[in-house]
Amino acid sequence: MELWIQNAKLVDETGEWFADLLIRDGKIAAVGQGLAAGGEALDAAGLTVMPAFVDLHCHFRDPGYLQKEDIETGCRAAAKGGYTAVNLMANTNPVCSSMETVRYVREKAQKLGLVEVHQCVSVTEGFDGKTVSHLQALDETVKLISEDGKGVMSNHVMAQAMKIAKEKGLTVLSHAEDMEISPYDYRLAENIATIQHVHLAQSLGARLHLCHVSTVEAMQEVIRAKICKAPVTCEVTPHHLWFYDTDYRVNPPIRTKKDRDYLIWAIENGYVDAIATDHAPHTPEDKKNGAPGLVGLETAFGVCYTILVREHGLSLAALSRLLSAGPARILGLKKGRLQPGYDADLVLVDESREWTVRAAEFASKGRNTPFEGVHLQGKVVRTIKGGKTTYQE
Ligand code: NCD
Ligand code: ZN
Ligand code: ZN
Ligand code: ZN
């Protein structure tokens, strides 16, 4: 099966250029001018072709909270947002602490074939805050462990988890929150937990990825670790780049303008490895009762393109690194470049398109977005996974 994409502007982390792209058997077979190709032709004139996006941080609520989201609606939302790979958090019911739950999620997703779904296992068993022996039973399909939604409170427990993670080649994701301090000072709670986890990783040589970094101080700690060549990576979310000084309920909270501007500065200076949505769907009732989080898959590209590329002059190649190649590297995937041999996971975007966010139109079950009514520029018009279209406007 061949697909021949013509007349598009191509952009990946290495830059932007005009060429045709040939897809064969789910992989990029050739990139260049005047390719002698057969198969189906796709005229992409006026559009930009990028590697499809990879989201390191999503909540699909399956098993356990299907009223909020399930694997199918989550995957449809991801495809609509331009994503072909996602990494799901473990705060389901039951908490994902075993290969049994990992297999349940992955098999359900594989049957749909819309998105490559990776599933985190919890750092402590059932989020009990103590037990890490379950990590010994994980096979190589698990690449990341995370207590997301909760902080790992004991440094000793985190150290034990990091030692096992290092032996098994796993990366530890940190939801950096000191939960005794966050009820009255969430800034201090993030800063302190970030410093603890970074120092543990640096001391033990274990790979650590900081989720949703949101303060100046936490980002400075990540930068310090990077300067010291510690095995530390980080993500920021679209909502922490867009909003400041508002109180839409999400963890970590929306911060001040100074924090937001510093996150953008860190991006501009190459200190950020990925933009991750922290897609966290809730029912209207749960949201009304104070559940933290927002849905982000279907607004991520428009938000990032508008704020980073249009307003701050970041190159689209740099944004591509944050949305595709950077997170793909953290997950160990051969995705994120428009080069022969890479997976034919592509997104076609219309950079000139202006649109207004309407939660009622989301493929996600979640309607909890602070972006309702916001005007954005840049829209995903088609998503291709392994050469097959998984979303088309
Ligand atoms: C997330 C959720 O609802 O699962 N909520 C949030 O506010 N981000 C948990 C999390 O990412 O910490
Ligand atoms: Zn979190
Ligand atoms: Zn999360
Ligand atoms: Zn700027």
Side-chain angles (χ1 to χ4, degrees):
M1 205 210 63
E2 290 195 346
L3 178 66
W4 184 20
I5 301 179
Q6 297 163 305
N7 304 318
K9 175 173 129 184
L10 306 185
V11 179
D12 70 9
E13 65 168 343
T14 67
E16 51 181 85
W17 69 105
F18 284 86
D20 293 350
L21 205 144
L22 181 67
I23 296 167
R24 188 183 297 133
D25 302 327
K27 302 265 178 207
I28 297 173
V31 184
Q33 310 277 1
L35 301 174
E40 184 193 342
L42 194 165
D43 184 4
L47 298 176
T48 303
V49 175
M50 300 166 73
F53 310 137
V54 176
D55 196 353
L56 281 175
H57 189 156
C58 282
H59 301 265
F60 282 3
R61 312 299 192 197
D62 194 351
Y65 306 105
L66 306 186
Q67 69 282 12
K68 295 179 195 265
E69 193 80 292
D70 60 48
I71 304 287
E72 178 163 2
T73 55
C75 285
R76 290 200 188 284
K80 197 169 170 192
Y83 291 86
T84 57
V86 298
N87 177 51
L88 304 184
M89 296 300 117
N91 62 343
T92 50
N93 188 11
V95 172
C96 185
S97 300
S98 70
M99 285 313 300
E100 191 190 341
T101 308
V102 171
R103 273 189 225 109
Y104 159 81
V105 170
R106 288 182 65 103
E107 280 164 21
K108 206 165 164 183
Q110 265 157 16
K111 274 188 201 123
L112 290 164
L114 290 167
V115 177
E116 183 175 312
V117 169
H118 297 264
Q119 172 66 56
C120 275
V121 164
S122 59
V123 174
T124 69
E125 190 166 11
F127 287 168
D128 73 358
K130 307 191 282 261
T131 315
V132 296
S133 52
H134 68 300
L135 298 175
Q136 299 289 7
L138 305 182
D139 71 22
E140 67 294 336
T141 60
V142 178
K143 292 166 177 164
L144 308 169
I145 57 174
S146 172
E147 205 86 330
D148 192 62
K150 279 185 143 184
V152 175
M153 290 292 284
S154 158
N155 286 321
H156 173 67
V157 170
M158 189 55 134
Q160 299 311 111
M162 282 183 178
K163 281 183 196 155
I164 299 173
K166 190 180 171 185
E167 276 165 27
K168 295 187 69 90
L170 297 162
T171 297
V172 180
L173 267 50
S174 162
H175 165 109
E177 173 185 354
D178 183 314
M179 295 187 295
E180 289 173 330
I181 293 178
S182 57
Y184 61 92
D185 190 343
Y186 205 130
R187 168 177 291 274
L188 184 60
E190 176 174 347
N191 295 347
I192 277 184
T194 300
I195 291 166
Q196 289 177 335
H197 293 171
V198 167
H199 278 264
L200 286 167
Q202 204 174 350
S203 154
L204 297 168
R207 278 205 308 273
L208 174 70
H209 174 79
L210 278 305
C211 292
H212 42 48
V213 177
S214 74
T215 68
V216 171
E217 299 81 13
M219 184 57 78
Q220 282 174 338
E221 177 62 14
V222 170
I223 293 171
R224 183 199 64 75
K226 287 186 168 218
I227 290 168
C228 295
K229 303 258 182 277
V232 169
T233 56
C234 76
E235 73 192 29
V236 298
T237 74
H239 46 278
H240 290 108
L241 294 172
W242 184 278
F243 293 106
Y244 50 86
D245 297 328
T246 60
D247 57 6
Y248 191 87
R249 180 109 167 77
V250 60
N251 288 335
I254 301 299
R255 304 293 188 181
T256 67
K257 183 161 190 305
K258 202 171 145 220
D259 296 300
R260 195 287 301 254
D261 290 349
Y262 194 76
L263 298 180
I264 294 176
W265 177 88
I267 283 177
E268 290 170 340
N269 287 277
Y271 291 118
V272 176
D273 301 278
I275 289 175
T277 67
D278 195 8
H279 178 83
H282 291 293
T283 61
E285 295 88 318
D286 290 348
K287 199 61 201 163
K288 207 165 62 214
N289 293 328
L294 56 99
V295 288
L297 284 164
E298 295 167 74
T299 48
F301 177 73
V303 167
C304 294
Y305 184 80
T306 304
I307 191 86
L308 294 174
V309 177
R310 287 284 152 167
E311 291 180 22
H312 281 267
L314 192 80
S315 69
L316 192 52
L319 180 57
S320 177
R321 182 178 78 85
L322 294 164
L323 289 172
S324 303
R329 274 191 284 272
I330 292 166
L331 267 169
L333 309 179
K334 187 116 175 135
K335 297 186 192 291
R337 291 238 184 142
L338 301 179
Q339 280 175 12
Y342 274 73
D343 291 346
D345 286 14
L346 311 172
V347 60
L348 276 63
V349 302
D350 184 345
E351 293 183 59
S352 64
R353 181 86 70 84
E354 289 176 28
W355 60 290
T356 304
V357 177
R358 295 287 173 223
E361 293 164 9
F362 286 166
S364 169
K365 284 184 193 173
R367 297 287 179 265
N368 48 309
T369 176
F371 290 102
E372 177 69 26
V374 168
H375 300 287
L376 298 176
Q377 181 150 8
K379 197 164 199 288
V380 171
V381 298
R382 185 163 173 155
T383 307
I384 294 171
K385 177 177 179 289
K388 286 194 218 108
T389 297
T390 53
Y391 167 74
Q392 192 168 2
E393 195 184 47

PDB file of all heavy atoms in Angstrom, residues 261 264-265 268 307-308 311-314, ligand 4:
ATOM      1  N   ASP A 261       5.770  33.429  31.685  1.00  0.00           N
ATOM      2  CA  ASP A 261       6.808  33.982  30.805  1.00  0.00           C
ATOM      3  C   ASP A 261       8.116  33.197  30.928  1.00  0.00           C
ATOM      4  O   ASP A 261       8.837  33.016  29.946  1.00  0.00           O
ATOM      5  CB  ASP A 261       7.061  35.463  31.132  1.00  0.00           C
ATOM      6  CG  ASP A 261       5.881  36.343  30.725  1.00  0.00           C
ATOM      7  OD1 ASP A 261       4.981  35.851  30.024  1.00  0.00           O
ATOM      8  OD2 ASP A 261       5.879  37.523  31.125  1.00  0.00           O
ATOM      9  N   ILE A 264       7.951  30.023  28.875  1.00  0.00           N
ATOM     10  CA  ILE A 264       8.162  30.318  27.449  1.00  0.00           C
ATOM     11  C   ILE A 264       9.647  30.594  27.184  1.00  0.00           C
ATOM     12  O   ILE A 264      10.218  30.103  26.208  1.00  0.00           O
ATOM     13  CB  ILE A 264       7.256  31.483  26.989  1.00  0.00           C
ATOM     14  CG1 ILE A 264       5.779  31.041  27.049  1.00  0.00           C
ATOM     15  CG2 ILE A 264       7.628  31.931  25.564  1.00  0.00           C
ATOM     16  CD1 ILE A 264       4.764  32.114  26.709  1.00  0.00           C
ATOM     17  N   TRP A 265      10.271  31.326  28.095  1.00  0.00           N
ATOM     18  CA  TRP A 265      11.723  31.570  27.965  1.00  0.00           C
ATOM     19  C   TRP A 265      12.487  30.241  27.963  1.00  0.00           C
ATOM     20  O   TRP A 265      13.411  30.037  27.167  1.00  0.00           O
ATOM     21  CB  TRP A 265      12.200  32.471  29.128  1.00  0.00           C
ATOM     22  CG  TRP A 265      13.681  32.702  29.110  1.00  0.00           C
ATOM     23  CD1 TRP A 265      14.355  33.693  28.443  1.00  0.00           C
ATOM     24  CD2 TRP A 265      14.678  31.890  29.753  1.00  0.00           C
ATOM     25  NE1 TRP A 265      15.712  33.541  28.641  1.00  0.00           N
ATOM     26  CE2 TRP A 265      15.934  32.448  29.434  1.00  0.00           C
ATOM     27  CE3 TRP A 265      14.626  30.760  30.560  1.00  0.00           C
ATOM     28  CZ2 TRP A 265      17.139  31.907  29.900  1.00  0.00           C
ATOM     29  CZ3 TRP A 265      15.818  30.213  31.021  1.00  0.00           C
ATOM     30  CH2 TRP A 265      17.060  30.787  30.689  1.00  0.00           C
ATOM     31  N   GLU A 268      12.096  28.678  24.628  1.00  0.00           N
ATOM     32  CA  GLU A 268      12.904  29.384  23.622  1.00  0.00           C
ATOM     33  C   GLU A 268      14.387  29.052  23.752  1.00  0.00           C
ATOM     34  O   GLU A 268      15.134  29.098  22.780  1.00  0.00           O
ATOM     35  CB  GLU A 268      12.694  30.906  23.746  1.00  0.00           C
ATOM     36  CG  GLU A 268      11.305  31.325  23.297  1.00  0.00           C
ATOM     37  CD  GLU A 268      10.967  32.779  23.637  1.00  0.00           C
ATOM     38  OE1 GLU A 268      11.605  33.377  24.527  1.00  0.00           O
ATOM     39  OE2 GLU A 268      10.037  33.309  23.008  1.00  0.00           O
ATOM     40  N   ILE A 307       0.260  30.721  20.634  1.00  0.00           N
ATOM     41  CA  ILE A 307       1.058  31.437  21.637  1.00  0.00           C
ATOM     42  C   ILE A 307       2.554  31.385  21.322  1.00  0.00           C
ATOM     43  O   ILE A 307       3.255  32.396  21.450  1.00  0.00           O
ATOM     44  CB  ILE A 307       0.759  30.898  23.065  1.00  0.00           C
ATOM     45  CG1 ILE A 307       1.372  31.799  24.137  1.00  0.00           C
ATOM     46  CG2 ILE A 307       1.267  29.485  23.301  1.00  0.00           C
ATOM     47  CD1 ILE A 307       0.526  32.917  24.536  1.00  0.00           C
ATOM     48  N   LEU A 308       3.036  30.228  20.891  1.00  0.00           N
ATOM     49  CA  LEU A 308       4.492  30.087  20.726  1.00  0.00           C
ATOM     50  C   LEU A 308       4.966  30.546  19.350  1.00  0.00           C
ATOM     51  O   LEU A 308       5.932  31.312  19.245  1.00  0.00           O
ATOM     52  CB  LEU A 308       4.911  28.630  20.963  1.00  0.00           C
ATOM     53  CG  LEU A 308       4.704  28.117  22.397  1.00  0.00           C
ATOM     54  CD1 LEU A 308       5.007  26.622  22.476  1.00  0.00           C
ATOM     55  CD2 LEU A 308       5.562  28.891  23.387  1.00  0.00           C
ATOM     56  N   GLU A 311       2.737  34.319  18.451  1.00  0.00           N
ATOM     57  CA  GLU A 311       2.976  35.448  19.355  1.00  0.00           C
ATOM     58  C   GLU A 311       4.434  35.574  19.797  1.00  0.00           C
ATOM     59  O   GLU A 311       4.892  36.671  20.084  1.00  0.00           O
ATOM     60  CB  GLU A 311       2.044  35.361  20.572  1.00  0.00           C
ATOM     61  CG  GLU A 311       0.588  35.622  20.173  1.00  0.00           C
ATOM     62  CD  GLU A 311      -0.389  35.559  21.336  1.00  0.00           C
ATOM     63  OE1 GLU A 311       0.030  35.731  22.498  1.00  0.00           O
ATOM     64  OE2 GLU A 311      -1.574  35.324  21.059  1.00  0.00           O
ATOM     65  N   HIS A 312       5.156  34.455  19.870  1.00  0.00           N
ATOM     66  CA  HIS A 312       6.547  34.536  20.351  1.00  0.00           C
ATOM     67  C   HIS A 312       7.598  34.242  19.294  1.00  0.00           C
ATOM     68  O   HIS A 312       8.795  34.262  19.584  1.00  0.00           O
ATOM     69  CB  HIS A 312       6.744  33.631  21.566  1.00  0.00           C
ATOM     70  CG  HIS A 312       6.221  34.245  22.827  1.00  0.00           C
ATOM     71  ND1 HIS A 312       6.998  34.980  23.689  1.00  0.00           N
ATOM     72  CD2 HIS A 312       4.975  34.286  23.325  1.00  0.00           C
ATOM     73  CE1 HIS A 312       6.257  35.431  24.674  1.00  0.00           C
ATOM     74  NE2 HIS A 312       5.027  35.018  24.488  1.00  0.00           N
ATOM     75  N   GLY A 313       7.159  33.945  18.078  1.00  0.00           N
ATOM     76  CA  GLY A 313       8.110  33.761  16.995  1.00  0.00           C
ATOM     77  C   GLY A 313       8.958  32.501  17.086  1.00  0.00           C
ATOM     78  O   GLY A 313      10.018  32.396  16.461  1.00  0.00           O
ATOM     79  N   LEU A 314       8.503  31.507  17.872  1.00  0.00           N
ATOM     80  CA  LEU A 314       9.204  30.217  17.890  1.00  0.00           C
ATOM     81  C   LEU A 314       9.049  29.585  16.514  1.00  0.00           C
ATOM     82  O   LEU A 314       8.013  29.722  15.871  1.00  0.00           O
ATOM     83  CB  LEU A 314       8.567  29.311  18.962  1.00  0.00           C
ATOM     84  CG  LEU A 314       9.340  28.042  19.311  1.00  0.00           C
ATOM     85  CD1 LEU A 314      10.492  28.357  20.268  1.00  0.00           C
ATOM     86  CD2 LEU A 314       8.426  26.990  19.960  1.00  0.00           C
TER      87      LEU A 314
HETATM   88 ZN    ZN B   4       9.150  35.176  23.619  1.00  0.00          ZN
END
